[in-house]
Amino acid sequence: MVIKTYPLGIYEENIYVLVDEKSRDACIVDPGGNGDILIKNIDLLNCNVKYILLTHGHFDHITGVAELAAATRAKTYAYEDEKDLMMDPALNGSSLMGYEVALEPEVLLKDRQNLEIAGMRFQVIHTPGHTKGGCCYYSEEDKVVFCGDTLFMESIGRTDFPTGNGRELIDSLKNRLLVLPGDVTAYPGHGP
């Protein structure tokens, strides 16, 4: 798996482009903004984007989905409990930013579901706390986890937004992420 990171948008949200080296098929994690810039970078990678994986539904992680999906025909995947937040601009925060984003994922995921997409394998790990339907995508084979805003370098996600819950976030960290092997690299939604 080739991993390219593009910190874009007003909050420099990390957008990850994951490319299978053999097939050149790709998936994108959390295309939050600047779709035009992202599309130009995808063209340079010479890959076929077929899937969009969303860790949660805040505006800074979903604003670029429509543009990217239109350009690539990629299917959008999100955790089943996150649909309501993604579809409501007041809940996902976009209305506070002066615009409205409402997104209905095409594929709803379940906890511990195994995904085989674009030549890569992931396990969906439900990690509520930052949002009710937040999730991470763990690749045991590549020893990586894409954790959105659940976990940052030396910090954790906020819990004061709609559907956030501090106790659930601590439980998600202790019982869902810290139990992963110690050699797993975490790829957060913001920062290094």
Side-chain angles (χ1 to χ4, degrees):
M1 173 190 310
V2 174
I3 303 170
K4 295 291 185 181
T5 307
Y6 301 96
L8 297 172
I10 189 169
Y11 293 106
E12 293 191 342
E13 182 267 328
N14 289 329
I15 301 169
Y16 297 104
V17 179
L18 317 177
V19 182
D20 178 66
E21 294 178 82
K22 294 177 189 167
S23 68
R24 301 305 295 168
D25 287 343
C27 62
I28 296 184
V29 180
D30 290 348
N34 298 106
D36 55 336
I37 296 170
L38 186 58
I39 290 167
K40 286 178 187 174
N41 280 290
I42 290 167
D43 289 343
L44 294 174
L45 291 174
N46 190 30
C47 63
N48 304 309
V49 175
K50 295 187 174 185
Y51 308 93
I52 298 169
L53 302 178
L54 302 174
T55 61
H56 67 289
H58 284 151
F59 74 93
D60 58 327
H61 291 253
I62 67 170
T63 297
V65 170
E67 186 175 1
L68 182 63
T72 64
R73 293 190 172 90
K75 284 191 174 185
T76 304
Y77 291 65
Y79 194 76
E80 61 186 347
D81 291 345
E82 199 70 350
K83 180 180 173 184
D84 292 341
L85 185 137
M86 289 183 176
M87 294 182 66
D88 187 336
L91 292 178
N92 68 37
S94 61
S95 63
L96 293 173
M97 301 305 293
Y99 63 95
E100 293 193 348
V101 173
L103 172 68
E104 184 169 3
E106 294 169 271
V107 181
L108 297 176
L109 303 168
K110 297 187 179 302
D111 188 36
R112 303 291 184 188
Q113 181 175 341
N114 291 311
L115 292 177
E116 291 196 27
I117 56 174
M120 297 168 264
R121 284 181 274 202
F122 300 96
Q123 183 181 65
V124 178
I125 303 173
H126 182 215
T127 53
H130 181 61
T131 63
K132 178 174 78 171
C135 73
C136 299
Y137 299 95
Y138 170 52
S139 170
E140 182 177 12
E141 182 178 328
D142 291 292
K143 298 181 181 185
V144 296
V145 62
F146 297 91
C147 51
D149 290 0
T150 298
L151 177 66
F152 300 119
M153 178 180 267
E154 300 178 353
S155 187
I156 60 174
R158 293 176 62 164
T159 60
D160 58 335
F161 295 130
T163 79
N165 183 302
R167 286 188 309 267
E168 287 183 351
L169 182 60
I170 296 301
D171 185 66
S172 291
L173 292 166
K174 278 178 59 176
N175 298 310
R176 308 311 303 274
L177 291 183
L178 291 179
V179 298
L180 295 176
D183 59 350
V184 171
T185 299
Y187 287 83
H190 302 269

